[in-house]
Amino acid sequence: MTSSEISDVAYACDIPAERPWSRVLTKGQTLRIIDSEGQQAVDALLYCADDPAERYSSQDTLRVQGSAYVELGTRLISNKGRVMARITADSCGRHDTSAGCCSCESNAVRFGEATRYQHACRENFILELSKHGLTKRDIVSNLNFFMNAPIDPSGQFTVVDGISAPGNYVDVTADMDVLFVISNCPQVNNPCNGFNPTPIRAVVRDMSGL
Amino acid sequence: MAETKPDIAEANRRRYEELRAAGQNLTPKGLPEPTALDGAPIVPDALIHHEQVPAGWYATVRLRRGEALRILDECGRSSVSLIGWREEDTSERINCADTVKVQWSAALSKGRVILSDMGRVLLSLVEDTSGAHDLLVGGSTPSSTLAAFGAATRNTRENFLAAAAKIGLCIRDIPPCVTFFAPVSLDDAGRFLWNPLRKRPGDFVDLRAEMNLVVVASNCAHPLDPARPVATGPVTLIKHRVPPPRDNDLCRTASPEAARAFAFTDRLYA
């Protein structure tokens, strides 16, 4: 980070590999998610802090944007059609919001029964959401920062090697008070984490994006 | 055998590449042609219930495992958004993201399945004349109709809210939806395109329930349909009995992933 960014840091922490995290961002605060070692997918859910029934919606976000990937300038839209946050800086270039989060159950379908008993993002989300009175019902569509999952014109979908380099970051600036929930993705069965989950860093600044 | 971390990562990468090759080459080649418009008549004995849903409206349908729902767009101008829950535990519900990634494709067609969030099959596309459906953009909302028409009209978001409320559910229970007869594709830059030539009068899908389900079908113009709002007409929902799946069932054998999802689903009823 540059010195100008250090000056207004309100909060910073490293999120270990495979672990969840959550924090309320107040309106105007910016969360920087840093892919510390590169090629690490970061699954994220957003809820309106005042009324968690209002939450991030991938389909609303893509409909409003008219295109399939999250990138610099993307407005993150709620299930009530409001802007919850926006992407205000991005040194990676493209993020997914159509692939959902990994779960023990979907891993078993995708990669075989033997992968059912591996830690997964939905386990993280369920535990982290329980701190806020929310349940599996509340896990809807999520963001996958630093995940490279192109969809081609025929509809073919692939999770390919992550394009994020060590230190790449994405800034999310809150347009309302939002509960921001992260699962630092534990997936070891596809290239979203380079088959090797690693730590990430979360930094919250009071200034809005650059 | 002691394996090092790089060994495990390498083995996992190999398995991923093998699954990818099968999922993107072998599986699509094995999928059937679309159903002909006159290709799957429903015999009178198989009919359970039949209703017409006016443009802008919705219907809630309960399906037992093994029953099928035909959604028929007689006028060729409508789109139907659909969500569904497992009847015995409504925390289990349609999951569009898993539907896409498990099948390596955002394109639904005859022989494909729609998954729940629990690694089980909700619905099988046992007949489909269209193959042009949307899993990415979702249905219309108050703000999408306002932007399109200059006035908020009836829309899928509010239809889902009303339908959910009538079975004791609420906004928290409304997941992303699939929309049938919504020919959305992507260009190379990832922008969404609408392909009007892929809509025909008489298009239908037959969705076979693989669990006991409650589904909601909303008959509202898709937000990307440029012909809205005058476009839409009524659609017909036909609940009917289909033959029990055999060992060579198209949907059950379409891919190793589908076979596993069906095996996990069958355990609920074993």
Side-chain angles (χ1 to χ4, degrees):
Chain A
M1 282 187 294
T2 65
S3 57
S4 69
E5 286 164 338
I6 290 169
S7 58
D8 42 37
V9 167
Y11 169 93
C13 90
D14 289 305
I15 304 173
E18 308 183 2
R19 299 301 303 163
W21 173 92
S22 64
R23 185 178 173 85
V24 173
L25 304 179
T26 56
K27 182 178 176 178
Q29 281 190 327
T30 296
L31 169 65
R32 174 165 291 188
I33 305 167
I34 303 166
D35 185 357
S36 306
E37 299 184 21
Q39 283 199 342
Q40 176 59 46
V42 178
D43 291 44
L45 291 164
L46 285 74
Y47 300 84
C48 172
D50 294 333
D51 174 16
E54 180 172 6
R55 69 273 311 266
Y56 174 72
S57 165
S58 62
Q59 290 187 334
D60 286 273
T61 296
L62 297 186
R63 187 195 74 244
V64 166
Q65 176 168 279
S67 61
Y69 309 107
V70 172
E71 54 200 12
L72 180 64
T74 296
R75 291 171 293 165
L76 306 181
I77 309 293
S78 78
N79 59 345
K80 294 186 177 176
R82 297 201 297 162
V83 180
M84 303 187 78
R86 60 191 78 213
I87 308 300
T88 48
D90 178 16
S91 68
C92 174
R94 178 187 274 192
H95 312 270
D96 166 78
T97 191
S98 296
C101 68
C102 62
S103 67
C104 300
E105 291 75 16
S106 68
N107 280 346
V109 173
R110 297 167 76 195
F111 308 113
E113 182 80 63
T115 60
R116 182 184 296 277
Y117 302 106
Q118 293 177 353
H119 192 48
C121 280
R122 190 162 68 174
E123 307 290 305
N124 273 339
F125 279 147
I126 288 170
L127 294 175
E128 196 66 24
L129 289 174
S130 73
K131 298 175 183 172
H132 305 279
L134 301 171
T135 72
K136 180 173 92 70
R137 279 170 79 193
D138 299 291
I139 302 173
V140 278
S141 47
N142 60 280
L143 291 143
N144 290 305
F145 291 113
F146 309 119
M147 185 160 122
N148 192 11
I151 301 170
D152 80 3
S154 72
Q156 181 170 284
F157 168 92
T158 321
V159 178
V160 298
D161 288 333
I163 53 174
S164 58
N168 271 179
Y169 59 84
V170 60
D171 281 359
V172 186
T173 300
D175 276 66
M176 60 172 72
D177 293 354
V178 294
L179 171 63
F180 203 103
V181 184
I182 279 176
S183 166
N184 190 7
C185 180
Q187 180 64 271
V188 294
N189 298 296
N190 74 31
C192 67
N193 305 320
F195 298 92
N196 178 33
T198 49
I200 56 172
R201 185 166 177 80
V203 178
V204 177
R205 287 175 288 143
D206 285 326
M207 58 181 280
S208 56
L210 300 174
Chain B
M1 189 176 72
E3 284 186 309
T4 65
K5 209 169 169 184
D7 285 342
I8 295 169
E10 194 44 47
N12 286 347
R13 179 181 286 278
R14 265 200 311 277
R15 180 181 59 201
Y16 180 78
E17 292 302 336
E18 285 165 13
L19 288 169
R20 171 181 174 171
Q24 295 186 340
N25 297 312
L26 214 60
T27 301
K29 285 191 187 120
L31 289 174
E33 292 295 306
T35 310
L37 286 175
D38 60 356
I42 297 172
V43 298
D45 280 356
L47 182 72
I48 300 170
H49 178 70
H50 174 284
E51 68 184 289
Q52 207 171 52
V53 181
W57 281 84
Y58 63 94
T60 302
V61 181
R62 287 180 192 266
L63 295 169
R64 309 302 295 172
R65 172 170 157 94
E67 292 174 349
L69 179 66
R70 174 165 298 187
I71 306 176
L72 169 62
D73 176 20
E74 274 145 331
C75 70
R77 299 190 305 270
S78 299
S79 297
V80 177
S81 297
L82 182 134
I83 53 176
W85 305 271
R86 188 177 144 216
E87 187 174 45
E88 298 88 349
D89 174 3
T90 53
S91 76
E92 182 169 357
R93 52 199 56 186
I94 185 172
N95 191 305
C96 292
D98 283 359
T99 297
V100 170
K101 69 186 175 193
V102 161
Q103 298 180 105
W104 304 85
S105 178
L108 284 175
S109 62
K110 182 174 176 177
R112 294 292 197 179
V113 295
I114 295 171
L115 293 167
S116 82
D117 68 286
M118 291 297 287
R120 293 189 272 253
V121 185
L122 207 72
L123 294 160
S124 296
L125 277 76
V126 292
E127 302 290 350
D128 179 8
T129 63
S130 157
H133 315 298
D134 168 46
L135 283 162
L136 301 177
V137 178
S140 59
T141 70
S143 58
S144 81
T145 57
L146 185 64
F149 317 143
T153 64
R154 292 197 63 92
N155 61 81
T156 286
R157 175 65 40 80
E158 291 177 330
N159 282 345
F160 285 163
L161 274 172
K166 291 176 184 177
I167 57 167
L169 301 177
C170 71
I171 190 170
R172 293 170 62 195
D173 299 294
I174 297 174
C177 66
V178 56
T179 306
F180 295 103
F181 321 123
V184 175
S185 63
L186 284 80
D187 67 15
D188 289 328
R191 296 202 62 82
F192 295 119
L193 305 171
W194 182 262
N195 309 293
L197 297 178
R198 294 200 60 187
K199 289 178 69 66
R200 293 178 303 176
D203 268 333
F204 65 87
V205 289
D206 275 355
L207 307 172
R208 185 178 67 205
E210 304 298 347
M211 299 187 281
N212 298 331
L213 298 176
V214 187
V215 302
V216 181
S218 167
N219 177 18
C220 291
H222 188 275
L224 295 186
D225 185 347
R228 64 193 188 271
V230 290
T232 53
V235 296
T236 301
L237 303 182
I238 306 167
K239 186 165 143 178
H240 60 114
R241 278 179 284 275
V242 288
R246 295 194 292 199
D247 289 346
N248 64 351
D249 182 74
L250 274 176
C251 297
R252 286 180 163 258
T253 57
S255 68
E257 290 90 346
R260 285 192 286 268
F262 275 103
F264 300 152
T265 311
D266 291 346
R267 285 181 198 170
L268 273 179
Y269 298 91

